């Protein structure tokens, strides 16, 4: 059951026709499907039934409050990486005891905000951060629950910019330094080690790297027990991949079953931090063809969405499927689909075979629900796009399109 499908030759988002949405809200336009978000969250979360677990959606994938509220209503906790994301999660009604805080550069003010809120735990990424957390907690008369992000030195076999669990990456602590960090907690009055954590990368299309990391963490857990350190949480991060093109990532149930097999009898509560797998295929970006042009080397479709709206193709060379919103049955040609921004790196697709669409027609860019709007900018003074959340026949403006006034508001 797909929630972005063609009905009578017109792309729909759930029960609503996409051209109707564009007539009302313009382009570029992000459209999210509530039914898809719900289905993805429930499919993921239930894959771990039988394991004591908490699914903490990774806010940075899609942090719109409407999306966070929907997921919080389904029982999701949240994985945050900034004070801004904490603010959003709390605003969306997420109980603080379901929030975990990751990230290599938490500032003292952000640590204070998270302690004030009473989050479940900090995933600590350095000794310097541990000392800062102890200091801030002490000044507030609180004890901070911490877990250390362990870098298991596992190759997730994904794009280098989104692989995070290898020795050369900036994230976490290597195994030996992690042991020392746990030992250090005994000398700090305001931190309590409660868990261990890893997040090895994003868009993983096999479970083998997850299991390799898990084995290293379980060995590590034995060493902690040997030191008399007793923890309760095992946070395995996010990273499960999705289908953008031809990828065949494992279904969450396959991951769930592998975890259940490996963790039988291990008395740890498992935390999972999925982002992309929940939101990625729950959103599309709709754009209008502004001009077409051909040079001796290329055919171009110049569209009104650009790298400032969806940076993944420019940043990672990512593939996003692109289709006509109303297929016209024309012959295909090879196109570069490019935006109006003054950068040769501004493209949504290169050398893509597409029907020969014409000026004024609409294209849908699929799999744009994660790391789409959240990575958007105002480069070239382009107001950021409108975001809609569709639920059956109901359309909610989840975020208004920015205006020119918004662009300069903080400057005057
Ligand atoms: C980005 C991130 C995630 C989510 O990754 P996905 O690939 O979107 O599932 C989870 N945990 C941490 C610490 C992250 O930085």
């Amino acid at each position: 059951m797909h929630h972005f499908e063609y009905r009578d030759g017109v792309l729909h988002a759930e029960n609503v026709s996409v051209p109707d949405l564009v007539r009302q809200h313009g382009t570029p336009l992000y459209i999210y499907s509530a039914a898809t978000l719900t289905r993805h969250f429930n499919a993921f979360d239930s894959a771990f039934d039988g394991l004591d677990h908490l699914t903490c959606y990774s806010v940075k994938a899609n942090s719109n409050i409407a999306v966070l509220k929907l997921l919080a209503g389904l029982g999701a906790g949240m994985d945050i990486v900034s004070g801004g994301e904490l603010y959003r999660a709390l605003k969306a009604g997420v109980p603080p005891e379901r929030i975990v805080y990751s990230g290599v550069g938490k500032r003292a003010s952000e640590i204070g905000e998270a302690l004030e809120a009473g989050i479940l735990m900090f995933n600590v990424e350095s000794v310097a951060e541990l000392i800062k957390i102890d200091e801030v907690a002490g000044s507030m008369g609180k004890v901070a629950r911490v877990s250390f992000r362990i870098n298991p030195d596992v190759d997730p076999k994904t794009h280098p910019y989104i692989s995070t669990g290898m020795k050369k990456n900036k994230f976490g602590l290597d195994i030996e330094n992690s042991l020392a960090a746990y030992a250090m907690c005994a000398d700090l009055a305001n931190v309590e080690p409660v868990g261990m954590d890893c997040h090895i990368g994003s868009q993983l299309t096999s479970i083998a790297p997850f299991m390799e990391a898990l084995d290293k963490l379980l060995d590590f857990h034995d060493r902690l027990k040997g030191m008399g350190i007793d923890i309760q949480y095992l946070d395995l991060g996010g990273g499960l991949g999705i289908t953008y093109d031809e990828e065949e990532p494992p279904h969450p149930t396959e991951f769930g079953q592998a975890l259940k097999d490996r963790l039988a009898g291990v008395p740890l509560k498992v935390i999972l931090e999925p982002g992309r797998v929940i939101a990625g295929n729950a959103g599309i970006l709709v754009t209008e063809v502004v001009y077409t042009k051909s040079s001796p080397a290329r055919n171009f479709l110049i569209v009104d969405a650009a790298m400032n709206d969806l940076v993944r193709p420019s940043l990672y060379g990512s593939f996003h499927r692109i289709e006509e919103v109303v297929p016209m049955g024309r012959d295909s040609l090879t196109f570069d689909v490019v935006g109006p921004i003054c950068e040769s790196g501004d493209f949504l697709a290169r050398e893509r075979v597409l029907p020969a669409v014409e000026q004024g027609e609409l294209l849908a860019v699929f799999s744009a629900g994660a790391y789409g709007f959240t990575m958007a900018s105002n480069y070239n003074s382009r107001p950021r796009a409108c975001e809609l959340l569709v639920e059956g026949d109901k359309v909610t403006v989840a975020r208004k399109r920015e205006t020119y006034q918004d662009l300069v508001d903080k400057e005057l």
Side-chain angles (χ1 to χ4, degrees):
M1 168 65 172
H2 287 281
H3 299 106
F4 293 105
E5 61 178 15
Y6 290 88
R7 294 189 190 170
D8 300 325
V10 178
L11 183 64
H12 280 61
E14 302 202 16
N15 297 335
V16 188
S17 121
V18 169
D20 282 353
L21 292 174
V22 167
R23 267 189 287 281
Q24 212 167 350
H25 302 281
T27 53
L29 181 65
Y30 273 101
I31 306 173
Y32 310 129
S33 154
T36 311
L37 287 164
T38 302
R39 183 181 49 148
H40 288 174
F41 180 81
N42 287 337
F44 187 93
D45 192 47
S46 64
F48 304 91
D49 281 352
L51 270 183
D52 186 12
H53 75 284
L54 174 63
T55 302
C56 291
Y57 167 71
S58 175
V59 172
K60 75 179 191 288
N62 184 325
S63 49
N64 189 287
I65 301 252
V67 170
L68 301 186
K69 271 191 181 153
L70 184 154
L71 294 172
L74 299 172
M78 304 269 153
D79 169 49
I80 59 166
V81 294
S82 70
E85 288 191 352
L86 173 66
Y87 183 81
R88 283 179 177 276
L90 294 174
K91 228 176 162 65
V94 181
E97 65 275 11
R98 286 194 210 148
I99 296 177
V100 297
Y101 188 177
S102 307
V104 291
K106 306 174 188 79
R107 286 172 299 160
S109 58
E110 295 175 304
I111 293 166
E113 288 151 17
L115 284 167
E116 191 59 49
I119 64 163
L120 177 59
M121 65 184 186
F122 292 88
N123 287 333
V124 179
E125 306 215 14
S126 64
V127 168
E129 181 191 335
L130 178 70
I131 292 168
K132 183 60 73 183
I133 291 174
D134 179 65
E135 192 182 298
V136 176
S139 74
M140 296 170 72
K142 292 186 188 283
V143 173
R145 285 175 295 275
V146 299
S147 104
F148 289 96
R149 177 161 174 181
I150 296 162
N151 183 330
D153 194 27
V154 167
D155 184 354
K157 303 199 167 58
T158 183
H159 190 282
Y161 289 7
I162 51 175
S163 77
T164 54
M166 296 165 79
K167 267 202 184 109
K168 62 185 174 192
N169 300 130
K170 70 176 176 181
F171 298 99
L173 289 155
D174 65 87
I175 301 244
E176 292 313 316
N177 280 314
S178 298
L179 267 190
Y182 279 94
M184 227 179 124
C185 290
D187 301 323
L188 300 173
N190 312 298
V191 292
E192 178 197 1
V194 296
M196 53 184 187
D197 164 55
C198 74
H199 170 71
I200 58 174
S202 198
Q203 185 54 14
L204 272 69
T205 51
S206 138
I207 59 169
F210 288 114
M211 300 316 285
E212 201 186 319
L214 175 60
D215 281 339
K216 292 194 178 182
L217 259 65
L218 290 177
D219 282 348
F220 185 82
H221 185 224
D222 287 339
R223 292 173 73 181
L224 284 183
K225 281 191 288 192
M227 292 162 63
I229 296 170
D230 192 25
I231 59 167
Q232 304 138 58
Y233 298 100
L234 167 62
D235 183 339
L236 290 172
L240 200 59
I242 63 170
T243 302
Y244 286 99
D245 186 10
E246 315 258 77
E247 305 92 331
E248 290 180 357
H251 190 273
T253 50
E254 195 185 321
F255 186 29
Q257 193 54 53
L259 285 193
K260 281 181 241 182
D261 292 346
R262 189 69 184 80
L263 291 173
V266 177
L268 291 172
K269 177 162 180 162
V270 175
I271 294 177
L272 300 145
E273 302 173 348
R276 190 187 308 271
V277 72
I278 307 294
N281 278 320
I284 61 173
L285 172 62
V286 183
T287 183
E288 183 180 313
V289 178
V290 185
Y291 300 112
T292 65
K293 88 173 176 183
S294 294
S295 73
R298 284 282 196 283
N299 298 308
F300 294 101
L301 292 176
I302 303 165
V303 300
D304 68 357
M307 66 188 290
N308 76 297
D309 301 298
L310 179 66
V311 78
R312 298 189 67 260
S314 306
L315 185 60
Y316 311 125
S318 307
F319 178 97
H320 283 265
R321 191 160 59 83
I322 297 178
E323 311 268 355
E324 296 167 279
V325 167
V326 184
M328 304 299 282
R330 297 197 188 95
D331 289 343
S332 291
L333 282 176
T334 302
F335 288 103
D336 280 8
V337 182
V338 303
I341 284 183
C342 302
E343 299 276 346
S344 293
D346 176 30
F347 58 88
L348 298 179
R350 275 182 161 165
E351 300 188 52
R352 185 72 61 84
V353 177
L354 288 170
V357 296
E358 292 179 358
Q359 188 171 327
E361 291 181 2
L362 298 173
L363 296 174
V365 183
F366 285 84
S367 312
Y371 307 106
F373 188 90
T374 52
M375 294 177 95
S377 76
N378 290 121
Y379 188 39
N380 278 211
S381 287
R382 290 168 49 85
R384 278 180 293 178
C386 174
E387 294 175 283
L388 301 178
L389 180 67
V390 175
E391 185 175 9
D393 303 312
K394 196 175 120 211
V395 180
T396 307
V397 178
R399 193 176 203 272
K400 291 186 208 159
R401 183 176 304 286
E402 288 180 350
T403 63
Y404 292 150
Q405 183 62 42
D406 291 331
L407 294 176
V408 297
D409 249 356
K410 297 278 187 285
E411 297 172 24
L412 298 175

